[in-house]
Amino acid sequence: MATVRVLRRAHDICTAAMQQQNYRSLALRTRRRSFASTSAFHIAEDGENENKKSALPKSNPFYPKMFEPLDLGPDIGTLPNRVLMGSMHTGLEGHSIPRFLLPFLRAEEDHSDLSAMAQYFKERAEGGVGLMVTGGISPNRAGWVGPFASKLTTNEEMEKHKLVTDAVHSVTVPSVDNPHGETARICMQILHTGRYAYHPFAVSCSATKSPISPFPARALTVPQILDTIGDYANCAVLAKEAGYDGVEIMGSEGYLINQFLVKHTNKRNDEYGGDDFRQRMKFAVDIVRETRLATGPDFIIIFRLSMIDLIKDGSSWDEVKILAQAIEDAGATIINTGIGWHEARVPTIVTSVPRATFSWVTRKLRDEKVVSIPLCATNRINAPHIAESILERGDSDMISMARPFLADPDIVNKAREGQPEEINTCIACNQACLDHAFVGKMSSCLVNPRACHETELVIEADSIPTDMKLNIAVVGSGPAGMAFATTAATIGHNVTLFDKSNEIGGQFNMAKRIPGKEEFYETLRYFDNQIKKLESAGKLQVRLRTEVKYDDMKDSSAKEWGQFDKWIVATGVDPRTPPIPGLDHPNVLSYIDVLRHKAKVGRRVAVIGAGGIGFDVAEYLLHHDDKTDHDITADEVNPQEFLSDWGVDGTNEKRGGLLDKVTIKNPHKEIVLMQRKKGKLGATLGKTSGWVHRATLVKSNAVEMIPGVKYEKVDEDGNLHITTSKGERRVIEVDNIILCAGQTPNNRLEEDAKGSGVEGKVYTIGGAYEAAELDAKRAIDMGTRLALKISDESVIPGKHTFKAPVGAEEKLIGFLNEFK
């Protein structure tokens, strides 16, 4: 009953607040008077500032276009470079959970205070980016991303954001034009989710339900539309009062504004709908116009415009152009490119999307010269040479990178200094960012666990006091071992890294061979570079081709082994062999045989196990050409082939950007993919990327997926006998059977050390600690966190694993999911 009372009280608060929206317009009109200016918004014409400087500006010797300043007109000024840090919902944006509800949730982190958000953006400003955009903040309660998500509607909420803007404005960003640099700038994204809202107050242009939310949206009335337009402007005014340099109005990705634009969702027949696109775009244009009027000419307004929807009944190219012109006329400063709706069945940001695949969309609009304000290209831009090539070709005036700033907050500075090898590259895996965001969990990054945890995980060079420095042996140089070794050595411990292989990387050396996972090469390059730097500094020794055994660990008398205070066991996993008769047949291979040892595989293949490894192996076999045996890099992946494979119109002349027919390439293999469990294959794959892996196999027409299988035997001819979930007995005639039936921890060193004198020195991490799937995110996070605490006397074997604190939003989402 207590739970019911709490939920009812929360519901009453929301309902009462929704009824107060009509009173906001009065406050908005009052604020407008303080910002409105009699001068019209001004965009500098070409050549207007020709005589501003007596000498030509210098250029960056490494990436001249990327570091060319961008003039946004006399009222706003100049950005120091062409890089925009795009919006990402991280969970740092705060929330609007009622105070009385917080104790009930028992969260480890509240996040109502924005100090962590301030530090997060300050570090990225210090990293040299030209302009940043926050995660989405709602202009009213109906627009919440989820229940009690972040919004900006009150002075109390506005005051909290001053902590963020003050932190950012304390930073100066270098510029080739200004030796003193430019004050760092940040815009706040205004995001109304519309029918994508994960709460029962969802609204949209029409009464519809999205496929990615369980809550149907009710249709806005015309008065409610007018109120919502006012809410956007009011939110922008509050953002300006909070110190933000501008706002980004989210008009793409299928959110509320985008929903008004297309017949796919807009079923209205009044002045905000119908067959006339100018009526459907009225909502978007009015929002920009009212926002400009409310904030004055000295405020950046970015509009995120969906240039290719990738859905049926999406916008036509002519409609995109009409909207772009109208948005500029209404007062926008920059148009940022939006690619695809969240419900689109075309991947747009996952790692299998080639680099800069969609920059041509922005180029198409730029070439047609229908607008004069800067255009920004987006999606899968994760390296400075990619950014430079986009700008150099003239695809856009700016480039946006979002997740790359999670992976490395210093990516722009490292590019400026000509050190691309130092960059910790985003691999577009989604595992710690989007997958977290969609369940209310604080975002992070697989390759950089500090992301969004800057105030919690502090890694400072040589920060360990001399009396706390340890001599540490790390056995295994996979993700967990590399993360521990580099972090521990950086903060001041003496580290020796052992591996029996002739190269670092562990399972990453197999993962990089999977089509769509070419970015893993970059992670290996980054760790290799860091390890070599630490070696050169005398902080880390690497001993490859060296297998450590328990006898070595216990031999304290030997000078070589007895010096270590701690042993970190990061020896990874062993493939699990299921109890199936006949697995000793020469046709049977393990995934290690195929991916590491490059065993030849026949055309007809059975894959036993449909977890992450099974899907990876199936995709590898579909696309890998045994004749060339060439593993391509991320820069070699062909964007045109990707567009063709997914049915994208590479000219964007088709409405929504989709072709009528998808071209299917001839696959290299015929595959039967099986699992013991009943239900959908690949159910444990990533929340936001798993569907891509499943769709890739399905659309090949070369993969049969069978759940609920009982494996009977492998016969003398190497064929696999199974019984299906329906009791059907089948003989699958194949050339090879590949085992992908999971893993077991390789924790033999830990087991051997139990009961001995070294037991208290042995700490097992990564796959050797827990072998569920191959979880690089968990392994790198685990290694990093232990390295920061290893000198603490309270950290002993068995009590050496640490996780990020659970926030109030995650607790609330989890609680509500119990009632679904």
Side-chain angles (χ1 to χ4, degrees):
M1 289 300 294
T3 299
V4 173
R5 285 195 297 271
V6 168
L7 289 174
R8 283 176 176 169
R9 186 176 175 189
H11 177 273
D12 290 343
I13 288 175
C14 291
T15 302
M18 293 281 288
Q19 292 170 348
Q20 297 299 316
Q21 288 185 16
N22 291 334
Y23 297 103
R24 293 195 197 130
S25 58
L26 178 61
L28 172 61
R29 285 194 295 272
T30 303
R31 286 194 177 91
R32 277 183 184 170
R33 296 189 189 105
S34 66
F35 287 129
S37 170
T38 55
S39 61
F41 177 67
H42 179 78
I43 295 291
E45 298 291 339
D46 291 340
E48 181 176 317
N49 297 316
E50 280 181 358
N51 299 319
K52 211 171 191 179
K53 301 178 181 66
S54 58
L56 290 173
K58 299 176 183 178
S59 64
N60 181 274
F62 307 106
Y63 305 100
K65 288 292 184 181
M66 186 174 167
F67 290 99
E68 187 177 296
L70 180 64
D71 187 359
L72 297 180
D75 293 307
I76 295 174
T78 301
L79 298 179
N81 56 61
R82 302 297 179 107
V83 181
L84 174 76
M85 176 179 162
S87 175
M88 294 171 286
H89 188 79
T90 62
L92 294 172
E93 299 84 7
H95 57 72
S96 54
I97 299 173
R99 289 188 180 93
F100 80 88
L101 196 56
L102 289 172
F104 177 79
L105 294 173
R106 298 178 183 176
E108 297 167 343
E109 286 282 357
D110 179 356
H111 295 134
S112 57
D113 169 77
L114 299 185
S115 56
M117 180 180 174
Q119 183 63 26
Y120 168 80
F121 278 109
K122 183 182 180 182
E123 289 196 15
R124 275 119 191 111
E126 291 171 341
V129 63
L131 180 63
M132 300 180 290
V133 182
T134 71
I137 309 290
S138 178
N140 56 33
R141 283 179 170 83
W144 281 339
V145 173
F148 302 110
S150 55
K151 65 178 180 67
L152 182 56
T153 62
T154 68
N155 286 329
E156 181 183 5
E157 291 165 339
M158 178 271 293
E159 289 292 335
K160 292 180 180 181
H161 282 267
K162 288 183 177 179
L163 193 65
V164 178
T165 57
D166 287 347
V168 170
H169 293 153
S170 70
V171 176
T172 300
V173 178
S175 167
V176 295
D177 273 3
N178 184 353
H180 303 293
E182 307 280 353
T183 300
R185 301 202 203 192
I186 183 169
C187 293
M188 189 194 82
Q189 186 187 78
I190 305 177
L191 168 67
H192 192 304
T193 52
R195 73 179 197 149
Y196 282 172
Y198 197 83
H199 59 74
F201 307 107
V203 298
S204 185
C205 48
S206 302
T208 60
K209 180 181 176 299
S210 88
I212 62 173
S213 171
F215 301 99
R218 60 179 175 82
L220 289 164
T221 64
V222 171
Q224 289 170 336
I225 289 174
L226 296 175
D227 284 344
T228 302
I229 293 170
D231 290 340
Y232 270 91
N234 181 58
C235 186
V237 169
L238 287 170
K240 187 171 185 178
E241 288 182 350
Y244 285 104
D245 301 286
V247 293
E248 178 177 70
I249 296 171
M250 171 51 94
S252 65
E253 266 64 31
Y255 291 114
L256 180 65
I257 293 175
N258 213 171
Q259 291 161 24
F260 269 86
L261 293 171
V262 299
K263 290 185 176 181
H264 178 75
T265 43
N266 190 335
K267 312 299 182 184
R268 305 178 73 95
N269 54 14
D270 58 12
E271 65 264 43
Y272 291 98
D275 292 332
D276 187 344
F277 177 68
R278 294 182 188 276
Q279 293 178 189
R280 299 199 304 276
M281 77 175 190
K282 177 176 170 56
F283 181 65
V285 176
D286 286 353
I287 286 172
V288 176
R289 182 180 294 112
E290 290 298 308
T291 300
R292 176 55 70 199
L293 288 171
T295 57
D298 59 343
F299 195 63
I300 298 170
I301 297 179
I302 307 168
F303 186 83
R304 189 81 181 264
L305 192 155
S306 184
M307 296 188 193
I308 185 167
D309 289 327
L310 302 177
I311 57 167
K312 183 182 178 182
D313 294 330
S315 294
S316 70
W317 182 245
D318 284 341
E319 290 168 352
V320 170
K321 292 190 293 182
I322 291 169
L323 179 60
Q325 290 173 316
I327 291 298
E328 178 179 21
D329 292 342
T333 316
I334 297 167
I335 292 179
N336 195 5
T337 305
I339 302 292
W341 286 36
H342 285 312
E343 64 197 73
R345 293 294 88 183
V346 177
T348 57
I349 61 171
V350 299
T351 190
S352 58
V353 179
R355 292 173 169 181
T357 288
F358 293 101
S359 69
W360 63 272
V361 179
T362 315
R363 172 67 179 264
K364 184 177 175 69
L365 184 61
R366 195 168 188 262
D367 283 350
E368 299 207 19
K369 302 184 186 304
V370 296
V371 295
S372 59
I373 58 177
L375 300 177
C376 186
T378 61
N379 287 56
R380 285 292 284 122
I381 304 168
N382 68 339
H385 70 281
I386 298 297
E388 183 73 8
S389 65
I390 290 170
L391 296 168
E392 217 272 329
R393 286 195 306 265
D395 289 2
S396 64
D397 304 286
M398 299 180 71
I399 62 94
S400 173
M401 293 190 283
R403 293 170 298 167
F405 283 95
L406 290 176
D408 195 332
D410 294 314
I411 182 172
V412 177
N413 279 346
K414 290 174 180 178
R416 178 185 292 106
E417 295 162 7
Q419 298 176 330
E421 73 282 353
E422 294 270 353
I423 294 171
N424 193 0
T425 303
C426 167
I427 62 175
C429 65
N430 285 5
Q431 291 181 33
C433 49
L434 269 72
D435 285 1
H436 281 204
F438 273 86
V439 294
K441 191 174 182 179
M442 179 67 64
S443 291
S444 185
C445 177
L446 183 149
V447 299
N448 176 27
R450 278 200 74 237
C452 304
H453 299 277
E454 287 78 11
T455 57
E456 176 197 357
L457 301 179
V458 180
I459 302 175
E460 293 181 358
D462 302 314
S463 57
I464 294 293
T466 302
D467 61 345
M468 297 181 69
K469 288 185 178 182
L470 301 172
N471 292 320
I472 304 172
V474 181
V475 185
S477 66
M482 293 189 297
F484 180 96
T486 53
T487 304
T490 296
I491 64 177
H493 294 298
N494 299 311
V495 179
T496 303
L497 178 61
F498 296 92
D499 201 296
K500 65 181 181 181
S501 176
N502 62 353
E503 60 182 352
I504 65 166
Q507 302 274 355
F508 266 31
N509 288 302
M510 291 188 288
K512 70 185 182 184
R513 304 194 68 208
I514 308 300
K517 292 190 175 181
E518 296 84 4
E519 296 287 3
F520 281 62
Y521 277 98
E522 302 292 350
T523 304
L524 290 168
R525 181 262 310 151
Y526 170 76
F527 272 115
D528 184 60
N529 182 271
Q530 296 304 301
I531 287 170
K532 287 177 179 175
K533 282 178 59 180
L534 292 165
E535 275 190 290
S536 298
K539 298 179 178 182
L540 176 66
Q541 296 182 52
V542 179
R543 300 278 301 277
L544 298 178
R545 303 180 184 86
T546 304
E547 183 174 5
V548 176
K549 299 179 180 179
Y550 167 65
D551 288 342
D552 302 320
M553 296 169 63
K554 72 177 183 178
D555 191 356
S556 59
S557 62
K559 182 179 180 181
E560 183 178 10
W561 305 110
Q563 60 178 318
F564 298 115
D565 302 305
K566 308 280 184 180
W567 288 87
I568 309 301
V569 177
T571 43
V573 300
D574 293 324
R576 190 178 74 86
T577 302
I580 303 172
L583 289 185
D584 56 348
H585 194 282
N587 284 359
V588 178
L589 305 170
S590 75
Y591 67 87
I592 293 179
D593 294 325
V594 176
L595 297 177
R596 178 176 292 164
H597 303 304
K598 300 183 179 182
K600 297 298 180 182
V601 180
R603 182 166 182 81
R604 301 172 303 163
V605 186
V607 178
I608 293 178
I613 300 173
F615 270 81
D616 278 353
V617 167
E619 193 154 352
Y620 171 81
L621 294 173
L622 278 178
H623 298 100
H624 185 74
D625 188 351
D626 289 335
K627 295 179 182 178
T628 61
D629 196 31
H630 171 63
D631 295 330
I632 63 175
T633 65
D635 283 337
E636 294 174 310
V637 182
N638 190 327
Q640 294 307 314
E641 285 187 7
F642 170 86
L643 295 175
S644 176
D645 287 349
W646 287 94
V648 177
D649 175 13
T651 66
N652 205 10
E653 295 297 331
K654 295 277 188 180
R655 180 173 287 277
L658 295 177
L659 296 172
D660 298 326
K661 187 177 181 180
V662 178
T663 302
I664 303 297
K665 293 188 300 185
N666 291 326
H668 291 284
K669 310 290 183 187
E670 297 171 7
I671 301 170
V672 180
L673 180 62
M674 296 161 285
Q675 68 180 24
R676 290 182 185 271
K677 291 186 294 186
K678 295 181 180 180
K680 181 172 63 176
L681 274 71
T684 60
L685 300 177
K687 185 174 181 63
T688 60
S689 59
W691 72 269
V692 180
H693 298 295
R694 288 189 292 270
T696 299
L697 301 189
V698 170
K699 67 187 180 65
S700 72
N701 291 331
V703 180
E704 180 185 4
M705 299 187 190
I706 310 177
V709 167
K710 180 181 179 183
Y711 305 107
E712 302 291 351
K713 67 175 181 178
V714 177
D715 65 25
E716 61 275 11
D717 296 319
N719 297 320
L720 180 63
H721 294 240
I722 66 169
T723 301
T724 69
S725 59
K726 296 180 180 180
E728 175 191 0
R729 299 181 70 87
R730 286 183 57 181
V731 177
I732 302 175
E733 296 183 356
V734 292
D735 301 307
N736 288 104
I737 298 168
I738 302 176
L739 299 178
C740 304
Q743 309 82 36
T744 58
N746 179 1
N747 57 3
R748 288 184 287 277
L749 288 177
E750 177 191 27
E751 292 297 319
D752 290 345
K754 285 183 177 179
S756 73
V758 296
E759 181 179 8
K761 298 181 179 182
V762 179
Y763 301 77
T764 304
I765 61 174
Y769 179 83
E770 183 179 354
E773 293 292 335
L774 290 180
D775 194 338
K777 178 186 73 172
R778 183 183 65 237
I780 293 175
D781 183 79
M782 193 177 195
T784 302
R785 289 177 181 274
L786 179 60
L788 293 172
K789 293 178 178 287
I790 191 65
S791 57
D792 190 330
E793 291 183 357
S794 66
V795 178
I796 60 175
K799 295 182 179 180
H800 66 282
T801 61
F802 308 95
K803 295 181 179 180
V806 179
E809 304 96 313
E810 183 181 355
K811 283 276 191 175
L812 181 60
I813 293 290
F815 179 73
L816 294 177
N817 281 339
E818 294 179 10
F819 293 88
K820 282 174 61 177

